[in-house]
Amino acid sequence: EESLQMWDLNKRLEAYLARVKFLEEENEVLRAEIQSAKGSPAGDSWRAKYEEELRALRDALDHAFREKCTAELARDNLYEEVQQVKSRCQKEQAAREEAKKLLSLSRKELEEERRAQIWLKERAVQLEKEVEALLEVHEEEKAGLDQEIASFSQSLESFRCAPVAFQPVEVEDYSKRLSEIWKGAVETYKTEVSQLESSLCQAKENLWKAAEDNQQSQLQLQHLEKDLAGLKARKEMLEESLARQWQEQRGEAEKFQLAMEALEQEKQTLRVQIAQVLEDRQQLMHLKMSLSLEVATYRTLLEAESTRLQMPAG
């Protein structure tokens, strides 16, 4: 039983020693590789490459941040331009409303002037009719006066034939009264004719002023219609420009959003890669430490086993 136990122990020791030898050889190889990696320019190039990649990633991140700031500034500028266009549209809308109000007022004034012109025309026709009536009345009065004068002349002739019946004082008084009546009628007729002529002139002047005002109103209305057409065209142009700017801004915003998402994904990918590199490096460090501890343990065990084997011989 002791010989079997010793044989088993020898087999286990041989396996253990072979494993220790293999691990020591592997450790030496790894140590040589580490030393060569430290001393050779390949390690420096790997580290420089890693630092260069890290620097490139930082530059890309800074560039993406600058592009983001530029995009935000462009967005703010576009927003300010849109606000300015909106204010211009509001001003144009207010000007158009003011032009509409002026146009409605001008139309009202034009209608009033047309009514005044019609009234003046009717008044002129009425005055002409009144003048014709007054002329007829004047002709009738003149014919009546002519008849009275003729009858008065006949009566004077009869008076001349029979001078005894009337006295000359009464005839003179009657002739004076008749002449005064005639003068008064003539003066009244002249006054009425002058008044009619002045009223007719005033009516013609008012009619001419109304026609002139109507013409000016029509010209002003034409100008206002032209201004309104220009404002409508300008409004359509501004609306088209605003729509085009909105489309461009939306397209640029979508492009910036896609670029930001791509940069964010690239940033996350770079973070994952950096974390993976750091984790791999940490695992290599842990593996190195575990290998060092295992080698030290095997050495201690070998020394203890050699000491134990040497003690009986001593």
Side-chain angles (χ1 to χ4, degrees), residues 24-256:
E24 284 181 351
E25 291 176 355
E26 192 175 4
N27 193 11
E28 291 294 333
V29 172
L30 289 173
R31 186 179 290 109
E33 288 180 357
I34 290 170
Q35 292 295 330
S36 63
K38 287 182 179 180
S40 65
D44 296 335
S45 63
W46 180 81
R47 181 175 294 177
K49 184 177 180 181
Y50 173 73
E51 290 179 355
E52 185 177 357
E53 288 180 356
L54 187 61
R55 192 180 301 108
L57 291 174
R58 287 176 180 175
D59 293 336
L61 187 61
D62 294 334
H63 183 67
F65 182 73
R66 286 194 295 271
E67 287 184 352
K68 180 181 177 182
C69 294
T70 306
E72 289 178 353
L73 289 173
R75 184 189 64 188
D76 294 335
N77 292 326
L78 287 173
Y79 181 75
E80 290 179 358
E81 289 179 359
V82 168
Q83 292 296 325
Q84 290 177 0
V85 171
K86 284 183 179 179
S87 64
R88 289 178 183 175
C89 288
Q90 290 176 358
K91 289 180 180 178
E92 293 294 333
Q93 186 72 22
R96 187 177 65 181
E97 294 295 332
E98 188 69 23
K100 285 183 179 179
K101 289 180 181 179
L102 292 174
L103 183 61
S104 62
L105 290 174
S106 299
R107 286 178 179 175
K108 289 180 181 179
E109 290 178 357
L110 182 61
E111 292 294 331
E112 290 178 357
E113 288 176 356
R114 286 178 181 175
R115 294 193 190 96
Q117 186 178 2
I118 293 169
W119 181 80
L120 288 172
K121 287 181 180 179
E122 293 177 354
R123 182 63 178 168
V125 173
Q126 185 179 1
L127 289 172
E128 287 178 356
K129 289 180 179 180
E130 289 179 358
V131 168
E132 289 177 357
L134 289 172
L135 289 173
E136 289 177 357
V137 171
H138 176 66
E139 291 294 334
E140 290 176 357
E141 289 179 355
K142 185 178 179 182
L145 288 173
D146 290 335
Q147 289 177 2
E148 287 180 0
I149 290 168
S151 63
F152 181 70
S153 62
Q154 289 178 3
S155 63
L156 286 176
E157 291 293 332
S158 64
F159 288 155
R160 287 176 182 175
C161 294
V164 181
F166 296 95
Q167 293 179 2
V169 177
E170 294 178 358
V171 173
E172 290 178 359
D173 292 335
Y174 185 74
S175 63
K176 287 180 180 179
R177 290 178 182 176
L178 185 60
S179 63
E180 289 177 358
I181 291 167
W182 174 254
K183 288 179 181 179
V186 170
E187 292 294 332
T188 304
Y189 174 72
K190 287 181 179 180
T191 305
E192 290 178 356
V193 169
S194 63
Q195 288 178 358
L196 289 172
E197 287 178 353
S198 63
S199 62
L200 183 61
C201 292
Q202 186 69 29
K204 287 182 179 179
E205 186 177 357
N206 292 329
L207 183 62
W208 180 73
K209 287 182 179 179
E212 187 177 359
D213 293 336
N214 188 11
Q215 188 177 3
Q216 289 180 359
S217 300
Q218 288 179 357
L219 291 174
Q220 188 176 3
L221 182 61
Q222 291 177 0
H223 287 301
L224 289 174
E225 288 178 353
K226 288 181 181 178
D227 293 337
L228 183 60
L231 289 173
K232 286 182 179 179
R234 189 174 180 184
K235 179 189 174 185
E236 292 176 356
M237 183 176 66
L238 287 173
E239 287 178 353
E240 291 177 358
S241 177
L242 182 61
R244 187 169 61 253
Q245 287 181 0
W246 272 111
Q247 292 294 331
E248 291 177 357
Q249 184 181 5
R250 188 177 296 173
E252 290 179 358
E254 290 177 356
K255 289 180 181 179
F256 285 135

